């Protein structure tokens, strides 16, 4: 069982979105526990103020220290397990599958999703352990990024995926892009399915899929190939792909 706590001004957004598909099923089966905390519930004033104007001026608002700090502390106290506090922001280190694997080895994470122009820097300094980004673009808040972490980490937990999908994930996340998929009908709008997939020759199908995965990675993400260690068979398949690519276009 892994526990996620999410600090967010939009708890329903996180709870609802996580309720679908693989994450929803993991929560229902008790493999994942998701608890949402709203800083607005930790305000003391009549208006439940969670933001204020930035010191130094400028547009927009900044999330106040006390409500976020107290929501994080309540989340920490919600379980005796130690938890890292992860802040999702474009200023963070870029997330990778390796990082998701390390997260999946932990018992719990507290994910902090900001809104407005950001959170008071003193929260980052005093309450945040790590700052991570899902990509080099700006969102309207950290919730979608937190959901990305929850989704990517949940699929790595034991017993979340079925045996087949789990094995597939193991093999193809060895740093390569996925191979193409086809289903019935065998011909549609003049487009057919590669012959080998209809052949029933499982070894040939396996080789074709590996070759396509290697070839697509070489074409689109050569940087990934630099990090991958290829077997002799894989180097041969990639060489074939490259030769055919150069010959035939
Ligand atoms: C806005 C902005 C504008 C110009 C240059 C840099 C900038 N950074 C931000 C910013 O961090 N805005 C935030 C909105 C404040 C905190 C939550 N928000 C957020 C989180 N937007 N995007 C993310 C995010 C999180 C993780 N990975 C990618 C983006």
């Amino acid at each position: 069982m892994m526990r996620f706590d999410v600090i967010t001004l939009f708890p329903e957004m996180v709870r609802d979105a996580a309720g679908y598909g693989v994450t929803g099923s993991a929560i229902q089966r008790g493999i994942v526990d998701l608890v949402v905390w709203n800083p607005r519930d930790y305000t003391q004033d009549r208006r439940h103020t969670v933001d204020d104007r930035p010191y130094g001026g400028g547009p927009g608002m900044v999330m106040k220290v006390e409500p976020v700090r107290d929501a994080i502390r309540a989340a920490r106290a919600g379980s005796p397990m130690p938890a890292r506090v992860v802040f999702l922001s474009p200023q963070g280190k870029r997330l990778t599958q390796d990082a998701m694997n390390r997260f999946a080895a932990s018992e719990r994470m507290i994910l902090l999703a900001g809104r407005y122009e950001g959170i008071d820097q003193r929260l980052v300094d005093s309450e945040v352990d790590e700052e991570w980004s899902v990509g080099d673009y700006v969102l309207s808040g950290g919730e979608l990024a937190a959901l990305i972490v929850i989704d990517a980490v949940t699929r790595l937990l034991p017993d979340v995926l079925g045996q087949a999908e789990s094995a597939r994930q193991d093999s193809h996340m060895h740093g390569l892009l996925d191979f193409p998929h086809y289903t019935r009908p065998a011909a549609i709008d003049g487009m057919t399915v590669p012959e080998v997939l209809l052949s029933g020759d499982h070894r040939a199908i396996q080789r074709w899929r590996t070759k396509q995965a290697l070839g697509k990675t070489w074409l689109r993400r050569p940087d990934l190939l630099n990090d991958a260690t290829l077997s002799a068979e894989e180097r041969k398949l990639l060489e074939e792909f490259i030769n055919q690519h150069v010959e035939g276009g």
Side-chain angles (χ1 to χ4, degrees):
M1 148 81 84
M2 176 157 182
R3 170 166 168 153
F4 297 100
D5 296 271
V6 183
I7 316 296
T8 168
L9 292 175
F10 297 109
E12 297 85 2
M13 174 185 174
V14 173
R15 179 147 268 316
D16 290 353
Y20 291 93
V22 167
T23 51
S25 146
I27 293 168
Q28 259 184 352
R29 290 150 65 207
I31 302 170
V32 161
D33 195 11
L34 173 62
V35 186
V36 291
W37 306 84
N38 191 342
R40 206 173 289 283
D41 296 336
Y42 298 86
T43 51
Q44 310 283 342
D45 64 315
R46 292 174 48 90
R47 309 189 97 91
H48 303 288
T49 312
V50 292
D51 62 335
D52 205 342
R53 286 156 34 223
Y55 276 121
M61 301 292 270
V62 175
M63 286 178 80
K64 289 172 66 60
V65 170
E66 303 95 310
V68 175
R69 177 199 64 193
D70 292 349
I72 292 172
R73 289 180 181 173
R76 274 195 201 286
S79 154
M81 272 124 58
R84 59 175 124 217
V85 175
V86 169
F87 177 44
L88 287 314
S89 106
Q91 285 76 46
K93 190 173 154 64
R94 273 292 289 279
L95 278 163
T96 61
Q97 189 67 34
D98 275 350
M100 300 299 189
N101 272 302
R102 290 195 296 273
F103 292 158
S106 62
E107 286 186 300
R108 77 180 284 222
M109 298 178 78
I110 299 177
L111 301 167
L112 173 56
R115 280 274 155 176
Y116 310 118
E117 301 314 302
I119 66 176
D120 189 300
Q121 181 60 33
R122 290 166 296 183
L123 281 165
V124 180
D125 298 341
S126 64
E127 299 289 341
V128 169
D129 298 306
E130 302 171 23
E131 198 169 343
W132 289 94
S133 163
V134 298
D136 293 336
Y137 35 78
V138 177
L139 305 169
S140 308
E143 284 80 7
L144 288 170
L147 282 161
I148 285 173
V149 172
I150 292 169
D151 187 287
V153 171
T154 296
R155 1 184 341 105
L156 296 170
L157 300 176
D159 303 328
V160 166
L161 297 183
Q163 194 180 302
E165 183 54 24
S166 203
R168 216 178 80 73
Q169 161 135 343
D170 283 356
S171 65
H172 105 257
M173 270 321 303
H174 278 148
L176 296 183
L177 302 185
D178 205 359
F179 54 77
H181 302 269
Y182 297 88
T183 188
R184 293 185 293 178
I188 187 165
D189 299 338
M191 299 178 290
T192 56
V193 174
E195 199 86 52
V196 62
L197 298 180
L198 311 175
S199 70
D201 181 343
H202 295 291
R203 296 246 320 150
I205 290 169
Q206 180 55 49
R207 277 197 302 276
W208 181 86
R209 286 179 167 162
T210 301
K211 184 170 163 180
Q212 296 304 311
L214 287 162
K216 196 186 288 181
T217 309
W218 174 72
L219 285 171
R220 297 190 186 174
R221 294 293 307 279
D223 56 304
L224 294 180
L225 277 184
N226 295 336
D227 302 341
T229 39
L230 303 185
S231 67
E233 166 85 346
E234 287 167 336
R235 285 199 304 274
K236 193 195 86 188
L237 289 169
L238 176 56
E239 195 175 320
E240 279 177 25
F241 183 98
I242 293 173
N243 288 336
Q244 286 167 353
H245 180 79
V246 172
E247 288 164 20

